[in-house]
Amino acid sequence: MHFYHRLYITPGMHFGQFPDVTPGLTPGKEIPSNIPQQLTPNSRWTIRFAIGITLKTADFTKLTNGNQNQTAQPKTP
């Protein structure tokens, strides 16, 4: 979907892995003293709805000297 060919909104899906709570523990609860020092998080994969927002801007090649790749040629009188 676009607005005046400047602002584009694109739906999509985000697929990723994230560390979850270590098995045997619960979020918000105190960690028992008999748990080893190294806690290994439980990795989970998840998929979520995502929205991409793109804003089209002006061409800035004139400000950044866009013809730097061209070789300088001598001027002929």
Side-chain angles (χ1 to χ4, degrees):
M1 181 166 73
H2 66 85
F3 298 102
Y4 303 107
H5 295 285
R6 288 281 184 194
L7 178 70
Y8 293 85
I9 299 175
T10 309
M13 301 302 282
H14 180 266
F15 182 70
Q17 182 181 19
F18 71 96
D20 203 2
V21 178
T22 303
L25 299 178
T26 308
K29 298 289 183 179
E30 210 173 290
I31 298 176
S33 60
N34 61 351
I35 297 285
Q37 292 297 329
Q38 276 299 72
L39 296 176
T40 306
N42 186 18
S43 295
R44 292 190 329 156
W45 289 92
T46 185
I47 189 166
R48 298 277 191 253
F49 178 74
I51 294 177
I53 299 173
T54 305
L55 180 63
K56 184 178 175 184
T57 61
D59 185 15
F60 293 116
T61 55
K62 291 179 184 176
L63 297 174
T64 59
N65 196 4
N67 42 354
Q68 289 177 345
N69 295 337
Q70 297 176 356
T71 57
Q73 298 191 8
K75 293 182 181 180
T76 54

